[in-house]
Amino acid sequence: MGFCLRTHHLTKRYGEKAVVHDINLSIRTGDIYGFLGQNGAGKTTTLRMLMGLIRPSAGEIELFGAGLKGSRAMALERVGAIIEYPGFYLNLSAAENLEIHRRLMGMGNKECIDEVLTTVGLLDAKQQKVKNYSLGMKQRLGIARALLHHPELLILDEPTNGLDPVGIKEVRQLFLDLARQRGISILISSHLLNEIELLATRIGIIHKGKLLEEIDYEALQRKARQYLEIKVDDEQRAAYILEQKLGVTDYLVAGPGILHLYERLDQSAKVNFTLASNGIGVKEIVLSGDSLEDYFLKITGGARLV
Amino acid sequence: MFSVFNTEMMKLKNTKILWLVLIGVLPANLVSLIALLPKIAPAGTPAGINLQDMFYRQGQMLTIWGPALFALMTGYIIAREYQERTINQLFSYPVARVSFLAAKLAAVLALIALTTVLSSVSVFVVGAKLVFQQHADLNVLWLGMRMNMMICALSFGTIPVAAALSMVGKNIIPVAVLGVFVTVITAIGEAGHGSQGILFPWLTPYWPVRQLAQGIAQNSGPNPYATPALVVLALTFIISLIFCVVYYARADVHSGS
């Protein structure tokens, strides 16, 4: 699978201070990439550089396999974005704001405006002036604008800001549908771990301007999952007994005499009894592993997501 | 390019920018209509309507108010993108930033032209009536039209200065201060009727108005400061425009800007 977006040693300095330092992002086509970091970690500055709003001090950006410098206009035609806050002309209606977008993106078909407003549930409010919109409605309209020209890559900076819990759930489902049904790649930045956890197929963790880790969500889950670490005298037989007697399937033989059991985390006594009563010598059973938040805290040196 | 200009005009819908146009239009029309009040000629007979005088009054009013109003229009068109935080989206389009600047300046030029045309409506209506009654000198009508076209063109010369202030300040306030300042200077300059006043770039549009006034006062001869004034205005335009192009094309867009 190819990459729709890559950065090479992307850096932004103000004076001596590097607010983004040597970032190498790699987003594959079809990824929902969660860009996770505290407020002020450098997420928005990075996204601004991707959209050409800020000039990098060093490094390169590659969109759809081509450098941004030489083919900015062509690349941006294939990208939809909300950077930090969806700004609109408040004196105009939602439909008029989208009409401006349609013209500037060179789209011929006016029907796309109604289509996209239907997608985000704002069709009934399309003639309302945007100054009368709530923050949540503006956020939806921002998503509509980002989708209007059928982009292949969506770059969304904290897109659930201002949405109520129902709205967040709907928007999340919309992103999942866009990725699964239309094959749109999504780069979504957030400081909300829960948000990223529910959406992302790949995660980049940024802290103090540095990309600390870039990892597939499945691999992260494996790293961050909690499990019962069982030390036994015969791990193969212990695994067989757990399968046969308790119906366990989610486990890993982690080493000689060590089993990691990812289910029945609250049934350590029953596991112990089952193994012992079948002649397995159990030396130790410990609940181990990290939650995703613990994992984040560990690699960022204890920084809390706020 | 036309679609970018078109979107700039769309953005002005339902804004208060037309009130600014009216502020320029109404006084110019009212003051020029003063020429319709009954007057007695030196010979003691009733004087007819003086179309040239009407154009002069209209031009004078427009060149006093115009610089401030046109600066405010420029400030609004440029600075609102920062104040309403639409600049992020604007600069994310696959359109060169310079094209947006050109479209915005073209929108300002369109507003200047609109204000100029509307400010001379009453004069032209009276002129058309006189032409119909065969009492008008068509040459004066042409002079008046030429004066208005020159006001329009010369007023645009200082627009990039207002644009530069708006994009650096990211706010309309610096332009409002500029507007107050130049209005005071233009009012004083025009009240003084000095030839050299047109060297101040915001007063250069007064040059064609004064030329018309000289005709009324039988004061023949072109303004000796016309060429230097045009050079100053051209330099003001070119330098500030280059600054605008470079700044708009290269400036980083940060949070909240």
Side-chain angles (χ1 to χ4, degrees):
Chain A
M1 193 176 282
F3 291 97
C4 58
L5 171 64
R6 285 205 288 189
T7 66
H8 306 283
H9 308 291
L10 194 63
T11 299
K12 182 66 184 178
R13 280 188 217 92
Y14 292 106
E16 291 299 305
K17 193 185 174 197
V19 290
V20 170
H21 183 68
D22 202 26
I23 283 195
N24 295 300
L25 286 177
S26 50
I27 299 166
R28 293 173 302 225
T29 305
D31 271 348
I32 300 181
Y33 188 101
F35 197 34
L36 187 63
Q38 289 175 289
N39 287 329
K43 302 186 295 293
T44 300
T45 303
T46 305
L47 299 191
R48 282 177 182 277
M49 284 192 279
L50 298 181
M51 293 307 294
L53 297 171
I54 291 181
R55 284 169 183 272
S57 305
E60 281 178 24
I61 297 164
E62 191 184 301
L63 267 170
F64 307 107
L68 193 61
K69 278 178 189 167
S71 55
R72 178 183 176 272
M74 271 170 62
L76 290 183
E77 279 175 9
R78 300 162 71 182
V79 178
I82 302 178
I83 303 294
E84 203 169 24
Y85 172 86
F88 293 100
Y89 303 102
L90 304 178
N91 52 306
L92 301 180
S93 68
E96 287 165 338
N97 270 283
L98 294 183
E99 174 62 15
I100 287 175
H101 182 79
R102 186 188 72 80
R103 289 182 187 211
L104 289 173
M105 294 305 295
M107 301 268 297
N109 180 11
K110 276 191 174 189
E111 284 157 17
C112 59
I113 292 176
D114 280 1
E115 281 170 21
V116 84
L117 284 171
T118 305
T119 305
V120 298
L122 285 176
L123 188 64
D124 292 340
K126 76 171 190 173
Q127 297 303 345
Q128 254 186 57
K129 283 185 187 171
V130 177
K131 70 178 175 190
N132 298 324
Y133 270 33
S134 67
L135 182 58
M137 288 167 87
K138 284 181 192 163
Q139 206 73 26
R140 285 164 182 270
L141 187 57
I143 293 166
R145 183 170 59 189
L147 289 173
L148 186 82
H149 55 286
H150 308 300
E152 293 163 54
L153 170 65
L154 275 178
I155 295 179
L156 306 165
D157 190 10
E158 312 263 4
T160 53
N161 275 357
L163 294 177
D164 56 32
V166 177
I168 290 174
K169 197 176 170 193
E170 285 172 2
V171 164
R172 187 190 306 135
Q173 191 56 48
L174 173 66
F175 293 153
L176 288 169
D177 291 345
L178 288 169
R180 287 173 191 158
Q181 292 165 13
R182 297 196 206 169
I184 296 176
S185 313
I186 301 176
L187 164 57
I188 182 167
S189 88
S190 182
H191 64 277
L192 300 172
L193 196 99
N194 174 49
E195 203 51 55
I196 295 294
E197 219 174 349
L198 291 168
L199 269 174
T201 56
R202 188 166 167 81
I203 290 175
I205 296 175
I206 185 172
H207 184 60
K208 292 184 177 172
K210 291 181 182 168
L211 188 67
L212 298 181
E213 178 141 24
E214 199 174 52
I215 186 170
D216 285 334
Y217 184 66
E218 282 179 11
L220 183 63
Q221 265 189 320
R222 282 197 295 276
K223 277 190 178 185
R225 272 172 91 188
Q226 287 194 304
Y227 52 86
L228 285 175
E229 185 170 270
I230 307 166
K231 290 185 179 167
V232 289
D233 53 9
D234 184 343
E235 72 281 356
Q236 296 298 338
R237 239 189 98 226
Y240 176 76
I241 286 163
L242 288 174
E243 275 186 28
Q244 295 302 312
K245 303 291 180 185
L246 296 179
V248 162
T249 54
D250 194 4
Y251 68 87
L252 176 76
V253 178
I258 301 172
L259 271 179
H260 285 174
L261 184 60
Y262 293 100
E263 55 188 284
R264 298 180 182 261
L265 300 180
D266 56 347
Q267 295 177 17
S268 56
K270 189 175 180 181
V271 169
N272 187 22
F273 176 78
T274 306
L275 290 171
S277 60
N278 284 278
I280 302 292
V282 179
K283 298 169 186 169
E284 192 179 335
I285 299 184
V286 187
L287 183 64
S288 192
D290 297 325
S291 67
L292 191 54
E293 188 171 4
D294 291 333
Y295 183 77
F296 179 86
L297 291 174
K298 196 190 288 177
I299 71 161
T300 59
R304 291 239 160 239
L305 282 164
V306 286
Chain B
M1 183 61 204
F2 181 73
S3 65
V4 182
F5 171 73
N6 213 357
T7 58
E8 287 303 323
M9 297 308 284
M10 276 181 73
K11 291 175 194 173
L12 299 178
K13 188 182 167 190
N14 299 327
T15 62
K16 294 191 170 57
I17 202 103
L18 288 177
W19 288 103
L20 281 180
V21 173
L22 277 182
I23 289 172
V25 166
L26 287 178
N29 277 290
L30 291 174
V31 167
S32 57
L33 288 175
I34 288 174
L36 296 181
L37 294 175
K39 275 192 294 190
I40 304 295
T45 54
I49 296 166
N50 186 338
L51 208 56
Q52 196 170 4
D53 185 34
M54 287 185 81
F55 273 122
Y56 172 65
R57 289 166 188 272
Q58 175 248 329
Q60 192 178 37
M61 211 61 208
L62 186 61
T63 50
I64 288 174
W65 281 111
L69 296 177
F70 302 150
L72 282 174
M73 288 170 186
T74 313
Y76 180 75
I77 287 173
I78 302 272
R80 74 175 298 200
E81 303 281 5
Y82 297 95
Q83 289 185 289
E84 294 177 21
R85 296 165 78 177
T86 47
I87 194 80
N88 285 336
Q89 184 62 36
L90 191 75
F91 285 172
S92 300
Y93 285 116
V95 175
R97 291 186 186 189
V98 173
S99 300
F100 285 117
L101 178 65
K104 285 180 184 300
L105 293 179
V108 175
L109 183 60
L111 288 172
I112 292 173
L114 178 69
T115 310
T116 309
V117 168
L118 293 179
S119 74
S120 57
V121 161
S122 60
V123 191
F124 280 105
V125 167
V126 172
K129 185 170 174 274
L130 292 178
V131 168
F132 188 70
Q133 293 171 345
Q134 298 182 330
H135 290 152
D137 181 355
L138 284 176
N139 192 39
V140 174
L141 270 178
W142 162 241
L143 274 177
M145 275 174 72
R146 206 177 63 175
M147 177 194 80
N148 277 297
M149 284 191 283
M150 285 178 76
I151 290 174
C152 194
L154 296 173
S155 296
F156 190 65
T158 53
I159 291 305
V161 177
L165 280 177
S166 313
M167 60 182 71
V168 173
K170 296 172 177 51
N171 199 302
I172 201 166
I173 291 172
V175 172
V177 172
L178 173 78
V180 171
F181 173 71
V182 296
T183 301
V184 170
I185 301 288
T186 51
I188 292 170
E190 291 190 25
H193 291 293
S195 311
Q196 68 271 44
I198 61 169
L199 289 171
F200 181 58
W202 282 269
L203 249 176
T204 311
Y206 184 56
W207 167 49
V209 182
R210 199 174 183 281
Q211 287 296 107
L212 204 71
Q214 279 174 338
I216 298 167
Q218 307 290 311
N219 182 8
S220 59
N223 188 330
Y225 295 99
T227 306
L230 288 176
V231 171
V232 171
L233 184 66
L235 284 175
T236 306
F237 178 77
I238 291 166
I239 292 168
S240 54
L241 185 64
I242 290 171
F243 176 86
C244 285
V245 168
V246 172
Y247 188 90
Y248 217 51
R250 298 187 65 86
D252 285 349
V253 182
H254 294 286
S255 302
S257 62

